[in-house]
Amino acid sequence: MNVELAFAFTFVILLTISMVSWLVFGRLSMARIEKAIISEGKPRPCPWDGVGGRVIWYAYTVALPAAWFNELDNRQLNTADVKRYTTRSDQCRAWVLMVAAHGTVLLVFVAVIFDIG
């Protein structure tokens, strides 16, 4: 198998995992957490959603420790509110999304830098 084919195969796999995990995290984790926060009587967190960008904010908030990603750094979400309703499954889904999405971007950078493809 040549290098270009290996990169293309890896890219398609990572991109597919990224897209599916984006949808799964958004529907199963983010929607449930938002509903719980709204049921407290608080306004909807992160009212701005630039073409699905809200999912990434939630994934970072759920996956990373609060000391790394807190209210001071994150003006879109209140980390304490999100963490209160986060489950282990949410963390797993957030990590899958983050690793796959960052892996896809990293793979593109490597391909551009080394002129692969």
Side-chain angles (χ1 to χ4, degrees):
M1 180 186 299
N2 62 18
V3 175
E4 289 87 5
L5 187 58
F7 260 78
F9 182 73
T10 306
F11 175 77
V12 168
I13 296 296
L14 280 175
L15 185 62
T16 303
I17 293 170
S18 296
M19 291 186 309
V20 170
S21 64
W22 189 299
L23 294 172
V24 169
F25 180 80
R27 295 307 307 152
L28 296 181
S29 298
M30 186 185 76
R32 183 188 49 75
I33 292 168
E34 278 189 345
K35 191 178 292 187
I37 292 171
I38 291 170
S39 72
E40 286 183 350
K42 295 182 178 180
R44 179 177 156 213
C46 196
W48 177 81
D49 187 14
V51 193
R54 198 170 83 229
V55 174
I56 295 298
W57 280 104
Y58 273 92
Y60 273 108
T61 304
V62 168
L64 298 177
W68 290 5
F69 204 72
N70 58 37
E71 293 85 29
L72 299 176
D73 300 329
N74 185 358
R75 302 282 182 220
Q76 298 291 332
L77 294 172
N78 184 332
T79 305
D81 287 343
V82 173
K83 291 283 190 186
R84 186 175 353 186
Y85 296 107
T86 298
T87 65
R88 195 77 163 141
S89 298
D90 297 332
Q91 289 176 334
C92 182
R93 286 188 282 264
W95 272 107
V96 169
L97 171 58
M98 288 178 52
V99 169
H102 287 89
T104 303
V105 171
L106 181 64
L107 193 65
V108 169
F109 283 141
V110 168
V112 168
I113 289 170
F114 292 105
D115 196 27
I116 298 172

